Amino acid sequence: MTVWIAIAATAVGCYLVKLLGLLVPAGALERPLVRRLAALLPVALLAALTAQQTFSTGHHLELDARGAGLAAAAVALLLRAPFLVIVGAAVLVTAGVRALGG
């Protein structure tokens, strides 16, 4: 029964957050600082998620093949490679490091 209470509380919470976003006056959203934050926040969240998924295992930091793949993707990005080449480079380097035992 407590699982259903948690599900219902989560659903209500999500609905209230969505409703709160709709109740914000339009004038508040047109301020330069708010517009800048809205543009930068998704990038920061994606970077944090990438770092967390790449360098952690549970509660421990770990540098393994995923870090090498991320480095290869960064190099390909700096070389202005197309997106599929960036992903392919990350996959190949990660697989190669894992195959070599890293």
Side-chain angles (χ1 to χ4, degrees), residues 16-78:
L16 290 176
V17 167
K18 187 76 149 179
L19 182 64
L20 184 65
L22 293 173
L23 294 176
V24 173
L29 299 175
E30 295 300 323
R31 295 180 182 162
L33 178 64
V34 174
R35 292 176 72 103
R36 183 167 168 84
L37 285 175
L40 295 176
L41 191 61
V43 175
L45 289 173
L46 184 60
L49 179 63
T50 301
Q52 190 270 333
Q53 290 291 318
T54 302
F55 299 115
S56 72
T57 304
H59 296 290
H60 304 289
L61 289 177
E62 190 173 310
L63 187 58
D64 59 3
R66 296 175 294 176
L70 183 63
V75 169
L77 185 64
L78 288 174

Short mmCIF file of all heavy atoms in Angstrom, two decimals, residues 16-78:
data_model
loop_
_atom_site.label_atom_id
_atom_site.label_comp_id
_atom_site.label_asym_id
_atom_site.label_seq_id
_atom_site.Cartn_x
_atom_site.Cartn_y
_atom_site.Cartn_z
N LEU A 16 1.56 19.49 -9.70
CA LEU A 16 1.69 20.81 -9.07
C LEU A 16 2.87 21.60 -9.62
O LEU A 16 2.79 22.82 -9.80
CB LEU A 16 1.79 20.66 -7.55
CG LEU A 16 0.50 20.20 -6.86
CD1 LEU A 16 0.75 19.98 -5.38
CD2 LEU A 16 -0.62 21.19 -7.09
N VAL A 17 3.99 20.91 -9.90
CA VAL A 17 5.15 21.59 -10.49
C VAL A 17 4.79 22.12 -11.88
O VAL A 17 5.14 23.24 -12.25
CB VAL A 17 6.37 20.65 -10.53
CG1 VAL A 17 7.47 21.22 -11.41
CG2 VAL A 17 6.88 20.41 -9.13
N LYS A 18 4.09 21.31 -12.66
CA LYS A 18 3.67 21.73 -13.99
C LYS A 18 2.71 22.93 -13.90
O LYS A 18 2.82 23.90 -14.65
CB LYS A 18 3.00 20.56 -14.70
CG LYS A 18 2.67 20.80 -16.13
CD LYS A 18 3.89 20.73 -16.97
CE LYS A 18 3.54 20.23 -18.34
NZ LYS A 18 4.69 20.16 -19.19
N LEU A 19 1.76 22.86 -12.96
CA LEU A 19 0.81 23.95 -12.77
C LEU A 19 1.53 25.22 -12.32
O LEU A 19 1.21 26.32 -12.78
CB LEU A 19 -0.24 23.54 -11.74
CG LEU A 19 -1.35 24.56 -11.45
CD1 LEU A 19 -2.18 24.79 -12.72
CD2 LEU A 19 -2.23 24.05 -10.33
N LEU A 20 2.51 25.10 -11.45
CA LEU A 20 3.26 26.25 -10.99
C LEU A 20 3.98 26.94 -12.15
O LEU A 20 4.03 28.16 -12.23
CB LEU A 20 4.27 25.81 -9.92
CG LEU A 20 5.09 26.91 -9.27
CD1 LEU A 20 4.18 27.84 -8.47
CD2 LEU A 20 6.14 26.31 -8.37
N GLY A 21 4.50 26.14 -13.07
CA GLY A 21 5.16 26.71 -14.25
C GLY A 21 4.20 27.48 -15.13
O GLY A 21 4.56 28.49 -15.73
N LEU A 22 2.96 27.02 -15.20
CA LEU A 22 1.96 27.72 -16.02
C LEU A 22 1.46 28.99 -15.36
O LEU A 22 0.95 29.89 -16.03
CB LEU A 22 0.79 26.79 -16.31
CG LEU A 22 1.09 25.60 -17.22
CD1 LEU A 22 -0.10 24.67 -17.29
CD2 LEU A 22 1.49 26.07 -18.60
N LEU A 23 1.60 29.09 -14.04
CA LEU A 23 1.11 30.26 -13.32
C LEU A 23 2.11 31.40 -13.25
O LEU A 23 1.78 32.48 -12.78
CB LEU A 23 0.70 29.84 -11.89
CG LEU A 23 -0.49 28.89 -11.80
CD1 LEU A 23 -0.74 28.48 -10.37
CD2 LEU A 23 -1.74 29.51 -12.41
N VAL A 24 3.34 31.18 -13.72
CA VAL A 24 4.35 32.24 -13.71
C VAL A 24 3.95 33.30 -14.72
O VAL A 24 3.64 32.99 -15.88
CB VAL A 24 5.75 31.67 -14.06
CG1 VAL A 24 6.77 32.77 -14.21
CG2 VAL A 24 6.17 30.67 -13.02
N PRO A 25 3.94 34.57 -14.32
CA PRO A 25 3.55 35.64 -15.26
C PRO A 25 4.52 35.71 -16.45
O PRO A 25 5.72 35.49 -16.30
CB PRO A 25 3.64 36.92 -14.43
CG PRO A 25 3.74 36.48 -13.01
CD PRO A 25 4.23 35.08 -12.99
N ALA A 26 3.99 36.04 -17.59
CA ALA A 26 4.80 36.10 -18.81
C ALA A 26 5.90 37.15 -18.71
O ALA A 26 6.99 36.98 -19.25
CB ALA A 26 3.91 36.38 -20.02
N GLY A 27 5.64 38.23 -17.99
CA GLY A 27 6.64 39.29 -17.83
C GLY A 27 7.88 38.81 -17.10
O GLY A 27 8.99 39.26 -17.39
N ALA A 28 7.69 37.88 -16.17
CA ALA A 28 8.84 37.35 -15.43
C ALA A 28 9.73 36.50 -16.33
O ALA A 28 10.94 36.41 -16.10
CB ALA A 28 8.36 36.53 -14.24
N LEU A 29 9.15 35.88 -17.33
CA LEU A 29 9.92 35.01 -18.23
C LEU A 29 10.67 35.79 -19.30
O LEU A 29 11.54 35.23 -19.97
CB LEU A 29 8.99 33.99 -18.88
CG LEU A 29 8.27 33.06 -17.92
CD1 LEU A 29 7.29 32.18 -18.69
CD2 LEU A 29 9.26 32.21 -17.16
N GLU A 30 10.34 37.06 -19.48
CA GLU A 30 10.98 37.86 -20.52
C GLU A 30 12.22 38.60 -20.02
O GLU A 30 12.89 39.25 -20.81
CB GLU A 30 9.98 38.87 -21.09
CG GLU A 30 8.82 38.22 -21.81
CD GLU A 30 9.25 37.37 -22.99
OE1 GLU A 30 10.20 37.76 -23.69
OE2 GLU A 30 8.64 36.32 -23.20
N ARG A 31 12.54 38.49 -18.75
CA ARG A 31 13.73 39.16 -18.21
C ARG A 31 14.99 38.52 -18.79
O ARG A 31 15.04 37.31 -18.99
CB ARG A 31 13.76 39.06 -16.70
CG ARG A 31 12.63 39.81 -16.05
CD ARG A 31 12.69 39.70 -14.56
NE ARG A 31 11.57 40.39 -13.96
CZ ARG A 31 11.15 40.20 -12.74
NH1 ARG A 31 11.78 39.34 -11.96
NH2 ARG A 31 10.13 40.88 -12.27
N PRO A 32 16.02 39.32 -19.06
CA PRO A 32 17.25 38.78 -19.66
C PRO A 32 17.91 37.69 -18.82
O PRO A 32 18.40 36.69 -19.37
CB PRO A 32 18.16 40.00 -19.80
CG PRO A 32 17.24 41.17 -19.79
CD PRO A 32 16.06 40.77 -18.96
N LEU A 33 17.94 37.85 -17.50
CA LEU A 33 18.57 36.86 -16.65
C LEU A 33 17.83 35.52 -16.71
O LEU A 33 18.46 34.46 -16.81
CB LEU A 33 18.64 37.35 -15.20
CG LEU A 33 19.24 36.37 -14.20
CD1 LEU A 33 20.70 36.11 -14.53
CD2 LEU A 33 19.09 36.88 -12.79
N VAL A 34 16.52 35.58 -16.70
CA VAL A 34 15.72 34.35 -16.77
C VAL A 34 15.90 33.67 -18.11
O VAL A 34 16.04 32.44 -18.19
CB VAL A 34 14.23 34.66 -16.49
CG1 VAL A 34 13.36 33.43 -16.69
CG2 VAL A 34 14.05 35.22 -15.08
N ARG A 35 15.94 34.44 -19.17
CA ARG A 35 16.14 33.86 -20.51
C ARG A 35 17.51 33.20 -20.61
O ARG A 35 17.67 32.13 -21.18
CB ARG A 35 15.97 34.93 -21.58
CG ARG A 35 14.54 35.42 -21.69
CD ARG A 35 14.45 36.54 -22.70
NE ARG A 35 14.61 36.03 -24.03
CZ ARG A 35 13.61 35.84 -24.89
NH1 ARG A 35 12.39 36.12 -24.52
NH2 ARG A 35 13.85 35.38 -26.08
N ARG A 36 18.53 33.85 -20.03
CA ARG A 36 19.88 33.29 -20.07
C ARG A 36 19.96 32.00 -19.26
O ARG A 36 20.55 31.01 -19.69
CB ARG A 36 20.88 34.32 -19.56
CG ARG A 36 22.31 33.87 -19.64
CD ARG A 36 23.25 35.03 -19.41
NE ARG A 36 24.61 34.60 -19.21
CZ ARG A 36 25.47 34.33 -20.17
NH1 ARG A 36 25.08 34.43 -21.43
NH2 ARG A 36 26.70 33.96 -19.89
N LEU A 37 19.36 32.00 -18.08
CA LEU A 37 19.34 30.80 -17.26
C LEU A 37 18.59 29.66 -17.95
O LEU A 37 19.02 28.51 -17.90
CB LEU A 37 18.72 31.09 -15.89
CG LEU A 37 19.59 31.87 -14.92
CD1 LEU A 37 18.81 32.20 -13.66
CD2 LEU A 37 20.83 31.08 -14.57
N ALA A 38 17.49 29.99 -18.60
CA ALA A 38 16.71 28.96 -19.30
C ALA A 38 17.50 28.37 -20.47
O ALA A 38 17.32 27.20 -20.81
CB ALA A 38 15.40 29.55 -19.80
N ALA A 39 18.39 29.15 -21.05
CA ALA A 39 19.20 28.65 -22.15
C ALA A 39 20.36 27.79 -21.66
O ALA A 39 20.75 26.82 -22.31
CB ALA A 39 19.73 29.81 -22.99
N LEU A 40 20.92 28.13 -20.49
CA LEU A 40 22.11 27.43 -20.00
C LEU A 40 21.81 26.24 -19.10
O LEU A 40 22.63 25.33 -18.99
CB LEU A 40 23.02 28.41 -19.25
CG LEU A 40 23.62 29.53 -20.09
CD1 LEU A 40 24.42 30.47 -19.21
CD2 LEU A 40 24.49 28.96 -21.20
N LEU A 41 20.67 26.22 -18.46
CA LEU A 41 20.35 25.16 -17.51
C LEU A 41 20.31 23.76 -18.13
O LEU A 41 20.89 22.83 -17.57
CB LEU A 41 19.03 25.47 -16.80
CG LEU A 41 18.70 24.60 -15.61
CD1 LEU A 41 19.76 24.76 -14.53
CD2 LEU A 41 17.34 24.98 -15.06
N PRO A 42 19.70 23.56 -19.30
CA PRO A 42 19.71 22.21 -19.89
C PRO A 42 21.13 21.71 -20.20
O PRO A 42 21.43 20.53 -20.02
CB PRO A 42 18.89 22.34 -21.17
CG PRO A 42 18.03 23.53 -20.94
CD PRO A 42 18.83 24.45 -20.07
N VAL A 43 22.01 22.61 -20.63
CA VAL A 43 23.39 22.22 -20.94
C VAL A 43 24.11 21.78 -19.67
O VAL A 43 24.81 20.76 -19.64
CB VAL A 43 24.14 23.38 -21.62
CG1 VAL A 43 25.59 23.04 -21.84
CG2 VAL A 43 23.46 23.75 -22.94
N ALA A 44 23.92 22.53 -18.59
CA ALA A 44 24.56 22.19 -17.32
C ALA A 44 24.04 20.87 -16.77
O ALA A 44 24.81 20.04 -16.28
CB ALA A 44 24.32 23.31 -16.30
N LEU A 45 22.73 20.64 -16.88
CA LEU A 45 22.17 19.38 -16.39
C LEU A 45 22.65 18.19 -17.21
O LEU A 45 22.96 17.13 -16.67
CB LEU A 45 20.64 19.45 -16.41
CG LEU A 45 20.01 20.36 -15.37
CD1 LEU A 45 18.51 20.47 -15.60
CD2 LEU A 45 20.30 19.86 -13.98
N LEU A 46 22.75 18.36 -18.53
CA LEU A 46 23.25 17.28 -19.37
C LEU A 46 24.71 16.99 -19.09
O LEU A 46 25.13 15.82 -19.05
CB LEU A 46 23.04 17.62 -20.85
CG LEU A 46 23.42 16.54 -21.85
CD1 LEU A 46 22.60 15.28 -21.61
CD2 LEU A 46 23.20 17.03 -23.26
N ALA A 47 25.51 18.02 -18.87
CA ALA A 47 26.92 17.82 -18.53
C ALA A 47 27.07 17.10 -17.20
O ALA A 47 27.90 16.19 -17.06
CB ALA A 47 27.65 19.16 -18.49
N ALA A 48 26.26 17.47 -16.22
CA ALA A 48 26.32 16.80 -14.92
C ALA A 48 25.89 15.34 -15.02
O ALA A 48 26.51 14.45 -14.42
CB ALA A 48 25.43 17.53 -13.91
N LEU A 49 24.86 15.07 -15.81
CA LEU A 49 24.42 13.69 -16.00
C LEU A 49 25.48 12.86 -16.71
O LEU A 49 25.75 11.72 -16.34
CB LEU A 49 23.12 13.66 -16.79
CG LEU A 49 22.54 12.28 -17.10
CD1 LEU A 49 22.17 11.56 -15.80
CD2 LEU A 49 21.33 12.40 -18.00
N THR A 50 26.12 13.44 -17.72
CA THR A 50 27.18 12.75 -18.44
C THR A 50 28.34 12.43 -17.51
O THR A 50 28.87 11.31 -17.50
CB THR A 50 27.68 13.60 -19.62
OG1 THR A 50 26.58 13.85 -20.49
CG2 THR A 50 28.77 12.89 -20.39
N ALA A 51 28.75 13.40 -16.70
CA ALA A 51 29.86 13.17 -15.77
C ALA A 51 29.50 12.10 -14.74
O ALA A 51 30.32 11.23 -14.43
CB ALA A 51 30.22 14.48 -15.07
N GLN A 52 28.29 12.15 -14.23
CA GLN A 52 27.88 11.17 -13.22
C GLN A 52 27.83 9.77 -13.81
O GLN A 52 28.28 8.81 -13.19
CB GLN A 52 26.51 11.57 -12.65
CG GLN A 52 26.10 10.79 -11.44
CD GLN A 52 25.33 9.53 -11.76
OE1 GLN A 52 24.67 9.44 -12.77
NE2 GLN A 52 25.42 8.56 -10.89
N GLN A 53 27.32 9.63 -15.01
CA GLN A 53 27.22 8.32 -15.64
C GLN A 53 28.58 7.80 -16.10
O GLN A 53 28.79 6.60 -16.19
CB GLN A 53 26.27 8.37 -16.84
CG GLN A 53 24.82 8.56 -16.45
CD GLN A 53 24.28 7.33 -15.75
OE1 GLN A 53 24.53 6.21 -16.14
NE2 GLN A 53 23.53 7.55 -14.69
N THR A 54 29.51 8.69 -16.42
CA THR A 54 30.81 8.29 -16.93
C THR A 54 31.78 7.93 -15.82
O THR A 54 32.53 6.96 -15.94
CB THR A 54 31.41 9.41 -17.79
OG1 THR A 54 30.51 9.69 -18.86
CG2 THR A 54 32.74 8.99 -18.39
N PHE A 55 31.78 8.70 -14.76
CA PHE A 55 32.84 8.55 -13.76
C PHE A 55 32.38 7.97 -12.43
O PHE A 55 33.10 8.07 -11.44
CB PHE A 55 33.51 9.90 -13.51
CG PHE A 55 34.16 10.46 -14.74
CD1 PHE A 55 33.69 11.63 -15.31
CD2 PHE A 55 35.22 9.81 -15.34
CE1 PHE A 55 34.28 12.14 -16.45
CE2 PHE A 55 35.82 10.32 -16.48
CZ PHE A 55 35.35 11.49 -17.03
N SER A 56 31.20 7.39 -12.35
CA SER A 56 30.78 6.82 -11.07
C SER A 56 30.18 5.44 -11.26
O SER A 56 29.60 5.12 -12.29
CB SER A 56 29.78 7.72 -10.38
OG SER A 56 28.53 7.67 -11.02
N THR A 57 30.38 4.65 -10.22
CA THR A 57 29.76 3.33 -10.13
C THR A 57 29.19 3.24 -8.72
O THR A 57 29.94 3.08 -7.76
CB THR A 57 30.78 2.21 -10.36
OG1 THR A 57 31.41 2.43 -11.62
CG2 THR A 57 30.13 0.86 -10.36
N GLY A 58 27.90 3.39 -8.59
CA GLY A 58 27.31 3.42 -7.27
C GLY A 58 27.73 4.67 -6.53
O GLY A 58 27.46 5.78 -6.96
N HIS A 59 28.47 4.49 -5.44
CA HIS A 59 28.92 5.62 -4.64
C HIS A 59 30.41 5.89 -4.79
O HIS A 59 30.99 6.62 -4.01
CB HIS A 59 28.60 5.37 -3.16
CG HIS A 59 27.14 5.28 -2.88
ND1 HIS A 59 26.31 6.37 -2.94
CD2 HIS A 59 26.34 4.23 -2.56
CE1 HIS A 59 25.08 6.01 -2.66
NE2 HIS A 59 25.07 4.70 -2.43
N HIS A 60 31.04 5.30 -5.79
CA HIS A 60 32.49 5.42 -5.96
C HIS A 60 32.81 6.05 -7.31
O HIS A 60 32.17 5.78 -8.31
CB HIS A 60 33.16 4.05 -5.89
CG HIS A 60 32.86 3.32 -4.62
ND1 HIS A 60 33.37 3.70 -3.40
CD2 HIS A 60 32.08 2.24 -4.38
CE1 HIS A 60 32.93 2.87 -2.47
NE2 HIS A 60 32.14 1.98 -3.04
N LEU A 61 33.84 6.89 -7.32
CA LEU A 61 34.35 7.43 -8.58
C LEU A 61 35.26 6.38 -9.21
O LEU A 61 36.03 5.72 -8.53
CB LEU A 61 35.13 8.71 -8.33
CG LEU A 61 34.31 9.93 -7.94
CD1 LEU A 61 35.23 11.10 -7.65
CD2 LEU A 61 33.33 10.29 -9.02
N GLU A 62 35.18 6.26 -10.52
CA GLU A 62 35.95 5.25 -11.22
C GLU A 62 36.34 5.76 -12.59
O GLU A 62 35.51 6.30 -13.33
CB GLU A 62 35.10 3.98 -11.35
CG GLU A 62 35.86 2.80 -11.85
CD GLU A 62 35.00 1.54 -11.78
OE1 GLU A 62 34.42 1.26 -10.74
OE2 GLU A 62 34.93 0.87 -12.82
N LEU A 63 37.60 5.61 -12.94
CA LEU A 63 38.08 6.00 -14.25
C LEU A 63 38.37 4.73 -15.04
O LEU A 63 39.30 3.99 -14.73
CB LEU A 63 39.34 6.87 -14.13
CG LEU A 63 39.84 7.49 -15.43
CD1 LEU A 63 38.75 8.36 -16.04
CD2 LEU A 63 41.06 8.31 -15.18
N ASP A 64 37.54 4.46 -16.03
CA ASP A 64 37.69 3.23 -16.81
C ASP A 64 37.52 3.55 -18.29
O ASP A 64 37.80 4.66 -18.72
CB ASP A 64 36.71 2.17 -16.31
CG ASP A 64 35.26 2.61 -16.40
OD1 ASP A 64 35.00 3.71 -16.89
OD2 ASP A 64 34.38 1.84 -15.98
N ALA A 65 37.09 2.57 -19.05
CA ALA A 65 36.97 2.72 -20.50
C ALA A 65 35.99 3.82 -20.89
O ALA A 65 36.15 4.44 -21.95
CB ALA A 65 36.54 1.40 -21.12
N ARG A 66 35.00 4.08 -20.05
CA ARG A 66 34.04 5.13 -20.38
C ARG A 66 34.71 6.50 -20.44
O ARG A 66 34.35 7.33 -21.28
CB ARG A 66 32.92 5.14 -19.34
CG ARG A 66 32.10 3.85 -19.35
CD ARG A 66 31.09 3.84 -18.24
NE ARG A 66 31.80 3.80 -16.95
CZ ARG A 66 31.20 3.86 -15.77
NH1 ARG A 66 29.90 3.96 -15.70
NH2 ARG A 66 31.91 3.81 -14.66
N GLY A 67 35.68 6.73 -19.58
CA GLY A 67 36.41 8.00 -19.61
C GLY A 67 37.22 8.16 -20.89
O GLY A 67 37.29 9.25 -21.46
N ALA A 68 37.82 7.07 -21.35
CA ALA A 68 38.56 7.11 -22.62
C ALA A 68 37.62 7.40 -23.78
O ALA A 68 37.96 8.16 -24.69
CB ALA A 68 39.29 5.80 -22.83
N GLY A 69 36.43 6.81 -23.75
CA GLY A 69 35.44 7.07 -24.80
C GLY A 69 34.98 8.52 -24.79
O GLY A 69 34.82 9.14 -25.85
N LEU A 70 34.78 9.06 -23.60
CA LEU A 70 34.39 10.46 -23.50
C LEU A 70 35.50 11.38 -24.00
O LEU A 70 35.23 12.37 -24.69
CB LEU A 70 34.04 10.81 -22.05
CG LEU A 70 33.53 12.22 -21.80
CD1 LEU A 70 32.22 12.46 -22.55
CD2 LEU A 70 33.34 12.45 -20.32
N ALA A 71 36.75 11.04 -23.70
CA ALA A 71 37.88 11.83 -24.20
C ALA A 71 37.95 11.78 -25.72
O ALA A 71 38.20 12.79 -26.38
CB ALA A 71 39.18 11.32 -23.59
N ALA A 72 37.71 10.60 -26.30
CA ALA A 72 37.72 10.48 -27.76
C ALA A 72 36.59 11.32 -28.37
O ALA A 72 36.79 11.96 -29.41
CB ALA A 72 37.57 9.02 -28.16
N ALA A 73 35.43 11.31 -27.74
CA ALA A 73 34.33 12.12 -28.23
C ALA A 73 34.66 13.60 -28.14
O ALA A 73 34.33 14.38 -29.05
CB ALA A 73 33.06 11.81 -27.44
N ALA A 74 35.35 14.02 -27.07
CA ALA A 74 35.73 15.42 -26.92
C ALA A 74 36.72 15.84 -28.01
O ALA A 74 36.61 16.93 -28.58
CB ALA A 74 36.33 15.64 -25.54
N VAL A 75 37.67 14.95 -28.32
CA VAL A 75 38.63 15.26 -29.38
C VAL A 75 37.93 15.37 -30.72
O VAL A 75 38.18 16.30 -31.50
CB VAL A 75 39.75 14.19 -29.43
CG1 VAL A 75 40.60 14.34 -30.68
CG2 VAL A 75 40.61 14.28 -28.19
N ALA A 76 37.02 14.44 -31.00
CA ALA A 76 36.27 14.50 -32.26
C ALA A 76 35.41 15.75 -32.33
O ALA A 76 35.25 16.36 -33.40
CB ALA A 76 35.41 13.24 -32.42
N LEU A 77 34.87 16.16 -31.19
CA LEU A 77 34.06 17.37 -31.15
C LEU A 77 34.93 18.60 -31.42
O LEU A 77 34.51 19.51 -32.15
CB LEU A 77 33.38 17.50 -29.79
CG LEU A 77 32.41 18.65 -29.60
CD1 LEU A 77 31.22 18.49 -30.53
CD2 LEU A 77 31.94 18.71 -28.16
N LEU A 78 36.13 18.63 -30.85
CA LEU A 78 37.04 19.75 -31.10
C LEU A 78 37.46 19.81 -32.56
O LEU A 78 37.74 20.90 -33.09
CB LEU A 78 38.27 19.64 -30.20
CG LEU A 78 38.02 19.93 -28.72
CD1 LEU A 78 39.28 19.64 -27.91
CD2 LEU A 78 37.59 21.38 -28.53
#
